[in-house]
Amino acid sequence: MGKTLIVAEKPSQAREYATALGVRGKEDGYLENELYVITWCYGHLLELERPEAYMDLDRVGKRWSLNRLPVLPHLNSFRRVVKSGAIKQYQVIQRWLKSTDIEEVICGTDADREGQLLFQEVWDASKCSKPLSRLWISSLTTAAIREGLKRLRPAEAVAGLAAAGHGRAFADWDFGMNLTEGFTALFGSFDAVRKKPNVISIGRVQTPTLALIVEREWEIERFVAQPFFEVRAEFATTQGDYPGKWFDLSEESKRITSRQVAEDIVEKTQGKPGKITKMDQKDVQEPAPLLFDLTSLTIAASKKHGFSAEKVLQLAQSLYEKKAITYPRTDCAYLSEDLVPKLPEHLKAVRQDPYTTLVDEAGLLGVPKGKRVINTITAHHAIIPTTEKVAIERLNFEEQKLYDMIVRRFLAVWFPPARYHQTEVVTEVEGEPFRTKGKVLLSPGWKKVYGPDELDEGVVRKTKKKDDREQTEDENATLPPLSKGEDVRTKRVFSEEKTTKPPKRFTQGDLLKAMEGAGKQIDDEVLRQQLKGKGLGTVATRPAIMENLMDRGYIIQEQKSLKPTQKGSELIRLIKERLPHAQLLVSAEMTGQMEFNLSKVEKGELTIEQYMADVEEAIGRIIEELRSFEQKHGKKPLALAPSGKVQGTGKVTKAGAEGKAIAKRKGVGTKTTNNNKSVETERETSDEIQVTASEGQVEGLGTCPKCGGEVIEGVKGFGCASWRAGCHFVLWKTPICGKVLTPNQIKSLLKKGKTPLIKGFKSKSGKSFSAYLIWEDSSEAKLKFEFEQL
């Protein structure tokens, strides 16, 4: 009897499969016993070849130009090559796919479009014809894995998913490769500060996302503040006092724009008797918030803990791999009907401090079955704790914070709605109406899951809006006993001058909402669930899009707000004002429709050939438009990206009068060794770190391990801002085995003591490898490699 081959997405996933199946034989690149062989990818092992592979370079030349474009390989002509550093593992997988010892194959990569694609790439390359099944699970617990293996899906059931994955990859390649080269050839230049080309990067999702941020900035710039006036009163009864605010009976949202009108109302009503003409009282219920999908989790974690979108995705993935939560890359906030019998197990798994009392009470209330919890799901259900008890103390501090949010949101849906007694009073004085609203909590219901501080901070409170502006009425006034027809005394009437506020810049959370709604921020959580599928990108790709926009110099982050750079604004203005055919690149609705069409490919409602034909036609039109522009106007370089990033949420280091801080450093060459591999990390013996600030601020990347100051980015290195005080900590930007560390990698190193896994290092012999960088001596900025162990 032959063996079953399971291909996982990464080593950690393979380990969980091995544990569930009792596979203990560890070999180089795989695990094996008498029934199973379990191997793994490292994400995508293959990548699409660059455009030059499809060109006659002797004819078109090696320099980027419009003359070489467009490059649009036919659907079956796209070629993939093994990524640098992935050859060994790729060969392991191919060997087992072709082995006569293997009788059947199971795709065990992450159960989503990208997971399917990265398996499909190696499967298609092997031309394997063995029976193929798909493992589709939402958590990595032993029980979930074993149950999933009993309910394998046939390969045909995910053929549409695979086609959509190819369509996404091919379309992104067509857009990115053709239009980045085309725009750079026409609007790029050489960046003398960075000593490299100023690339004008274009992306199918990236560019319309940039347009959202730029257009919001233009709205702010065009905004002219308008004064308005509010007339408020204080009324007295024998039972106590209460406030009121004037409103227009014929048009409730109407504002008073004239000072004289406001003063006339004050003069007319001051000291005059009033009467309560309307008194509405009712009990209202507020249900628990929906369970988390990745977007709502990111927004909540950003508000509460200041986590970036990329950080939330990283923490959620880590919790998933530690079997603490279910699959995080989901756009669904509901659970499926078949989960109902298992929910008590999920509840039991979180019964530990500080949730014990809440779990016991929730268990007595019965399993939640309402449509706000149990409903139609997409590929994966909402994010909830798994059925395995987690040792919370073994999670790092940030993981504990995110896990706590997920547990409490899960517990909340077991509890009844919060109940309020709501009162609305209209008091008339000399024919002028004043409204008063009060709300008293009768029963906390689900709100007992949260502390009062969290509710006060608006972590789970819904934001109510009226006419696109936040309501400013106090709806929680404490009211004395009142009755309709009651006479009251007007103690005081006064007017307040206010001004209209400009639109707010996007935070990362706001931008996620706008991307999900294809440019429209949808606050109603139920409506948001109903409008899935037409957004910019996917829940898994949106955080990376934001990071790319910052890394490519299109946007900066000031505190929590995202703001376009001059380069970003000029690109969007150019497209909107001078390139009509290219305007689909900045249309959130158009890109959202493309994402929707990909979902139709996945469902078999649209062929990938039809999808790609639309993509190729659009790119062809844009390239022709760029050629026409060049003939009429020549090359028009856009602004360079800023040479320093603006501060996000860390400390701010002030620069000097000219916005520059220059520090002379002396570096020492270090040699790091690990696992018998060695590498020289070249250091400059004497140089300058120059930091060019934008608006007088430089981003703090983390805490200096030498003195506790703030580490900032310079042109030639990452150094301590306290250099004037004598701290000489610096990590130079000299390549380490061919790789230069990025600001995000430095942030991780300073915060966690290690970078994320970095791929593409080159050894002295020319071999590629992947590794983490960790501290050998943090105070002296000495690093060493750490390799991922199975």
Side-chain angles (χ1 to χ4, degrees), residues 195-247:
K195 297 182 180 178
K196 64 180 183 180
N198 181 37
V199 174
I200 310 302
S201 174
I202 301 292
R204 181 179 64 90
V205 179
Q206 170 189 289
T207 306
T209 302
L210 171 62
L212 293 177
I213 299 168
V214 170
E215 288 165 356
R216 175 61 59 86
E217 193 68 21
W218 291 345
E219 288 180 44
I220 294 169
E221 291 170 358
R222 291 192 298 262
F223 180 81
V224 178
Q226 300 291 333
F228 67 95
F229 301 85
E230 287 183 352
V231 177
R232 293 183 176 270
E234 293 178 9
F235 301 110
T237 73
T238 56
Q239 298 290 319
D241 299 347
Y242 67 96
K245 189 176 99 171
W246 183 92
F247 70 103

Side-chain angles (χ1 to χ4, degrees), residues 649-685:
T649 54
K651 298 178 182 177
V652 176
T653 304
K654 293 287 183 182
E658 296 180 1
K660 293 182 179 180
I662 300 176
K664 291 189 176 181
R665 314 280 192 176
K666 291 185 179 180
V668 181
T670 64
K671 190 173 186 178
T672 60
T673 62
N674 190 38
N675 291 359
N676 298 321
K677 285 198 175 187
S678 66
V679 56
E680 288 287 347
T681 55
E682 298 175 7
R683 298 286 183 261
E684 300 175 47
T685 55

Side-chain angles (χ1 to χ4, degrees), residues 9 44 109-110 112-119 165 168-169 541:
E9 184 152 336
H44 287 276
T109 52
D110 281 354
D112 59 14
R113 191 169 71 194
E114 285 307 300
Q116 187 65 38
L117 177 61
L118 66 89
F119 169 80
R168 194 280 309 155
T541 60

Side-chain angles (χ1 to χ4, degrees), residues 156-407:
E156 297 75 26
V158 292
L161 188 66
H166 284 306
R168 194 280 309 155
F170 296 158
D172 285 356
W173 190 97
D174 279 353
F175 271 98
M177 293 299 184
N178 281 279
L179 300 185
T180 296
E181 178 168 337
F183 272 77
T184 302
L186 197 49
F187 307 113
S189 58
F190 186 75
D191 188 335
V193 175
R194 291 182 173 80
K195 297 182 180 178
K196 64 180 183 180
N198 181 37
V199 174
I200 310 302
S201 174
I202 301 292
R204 181 179 64 90
V205 179
Q206 170 189 289
T207 306
T209 302
L210 171 62
L212 293 177
I213 299 168
V214 170
E215 288 165 356
R216 175 61 59 86
E217 193 68 21
W218 291 345
E219 288 180 44
I220 294 169
E221 291 170 358
R222 291 192 298 262
F223 180 81
V224 178
Q226 300 291 333
F228 67 95
F229 301 85
E230 287 183 352
V231 177
R232 293 183 176 270
E234 293 178 9
F235 301 110
T237 73
T238 56
Q239 298 290 319
D241 299 347
Y242 67 96
K245 189 176 99 171
W246 183 92
F247 70 103
D248 191 316
L249 278 171
S250 60
E251 187 181 344
E252 293 194 11
S253 61
K254 184 177 180 180
R255 283 172 164 163
I256 302 172
T257 56
S258 165
R259 184 188 302 273
Q260 187 60 52
V261 170
E263 289 177 353
D264 288 347
I265 295 173
V266 171
E267 184 178 351
K268 180 180 178 182
T269 57
Q270 192 73 262
K272 301 295 175 63
K275 183 184 285 289
I276 296 175
T277 59
K278 180 181 178 181
M279 181 92 174
D280 284 342
Q281 294 181 301
K282 59 183 177 181
D283 288 349
V284 295
Q285 295 187 343
E286 183 182 339
L290 296 185
L291 293 166
F292 281 127
D293 60 13
L294 183 58
T295 298
S296 58
L297 175 62
T298 302
I299 293 167
S302 175
K303 281 184 180 179
K304 187 175 182 184
H305 300 301
F307 292 157
S308 69
E310 185 182 48
K311 184 68 173 178
V312 173
L313 181 56
Q314 173 197 330
L315 292 172
Q317 183 67 24
S318 178
L319 288 171
Y320 170 65
E321 292 175 7
K322 292 178 179 179
K323 297 185 277 189
I325 64 171
T326 57
Y327 188 68
R329 288 176 169 85
T330 176
D331 65 354
C332 181
Y334 301 122
L335 303 176
S336 58
E337 188 72 41
D338 62 357
L339 261 177
V340 172
K342 303 172 188 173
L343 289 180
E345 295 178 50
H346 291 266
L347 182 67
K348 183 180 177 181
V350 297
R351 191 182 184 279
Q352 58 180 309
D353 287 338
Y355 316 114
T356 306
T357 303
L358 292 170
V359 168
D360 290 345
E361 187 172 347
L364 297 174
L365 295 169
V367 176
K369 295 180 181 179
K371 287 188 176 181
R372 289 178 60 87
V373 182
I374 309 300
N375 210 321
T376 303
I377 68 167
T378 52
H380 291 280
H381 60 66
I383 305 169
I384 61 173
T386 66
T387 55
E388 291 206 9
K389 190 175 287 288
V390 176
I392 296 177
E393 66 278 2
R394 293 186 180 179
L395 302 177
N396 69 40
F397 187 55
E398 291 175 327
E399 289 171 345
Q400 288 181 28
K401 288 181 175 181
L402 200 70
Y403 182 67
D404 180 74
M405 293 182 68
I406 294 166
V407 170

